[in-house]
Amino acid sequence: MNSIDDVLRDLQCELVAERNRVNPKEISWLQYDILHLLSQQKWQLPSEMSTTLGISRTKLSKALKVLKLMGYISQKPSGKMEENY
């Protein structure tokens, strides 16, 4: 009988393979996480997003720029004089 770790590892491999097969726009895992986060909350400040995702502002900024160029997100100024997505 397989251990739970083996089963979870196999499931993760299957999910990664399936995601790569049905990912015609080649969205990265980080970009997917950002879009998922924004689907839960319509907008957030980049500082909030980087904290929630546990990544640097630089890494987030690069991912947001690509998503903006791909037309998935738009950028609007907030009332706090910061940019939000």
Side-chain angles (χ1 to χ4, degrees):
M1 182 182 276
N2 288 339
S3 73
I4 188 74
D5 290 336
D6 292 337
V7 171
L8 290 174
R9 189 174 18 260
D10 290 345
L11 178 59
Q12 182 180 23
C13 289
E14 288 294 325
L15 291 173
V16 168
E18 180 67 15
R19 184 181 178 282
N20 288 335
R21 187 179 68 76
V22 295
N23 186 9
K25 300 280 187 180
E26 297 186 13
I27 304 251
S28 72
W29 285 103
L30 175 57
Q31 292 165 336
Y32 175 84
D33 290 341
I34 291 168
L35 293 173
H36 178 71
L37 183 62
L38 290 174
S39 74
Q40 294 175 332
Q41 296 182 340
K42 295 300 179 201
W43 69 273
Q44 285 190 3
L45 294 172
S47 58
E48 297 168 336
M49 292 179 71
S50 64
T51 300
T52 301
L53 295 169
I55 60 172
S56 70
R57 289 281 305 267
T58 303
K59 188 172 186 175
L60 176 67
S61 180
K62 289 176 183 178
L64 290 171
K65 181 178 179 182
V66 172
L67 287 171
K68 185 178 174 185
L69 290 171
M70 294 172 82
Y72 285 107
I73 61 171
S74 61
Q75 181 179 3
K76 299 176 185 174
S78 75
K80 297 179 184 178
M81 298 300 292
E82 291 186 45
E83 296 174 344
N84 61 53
Y85 296 83

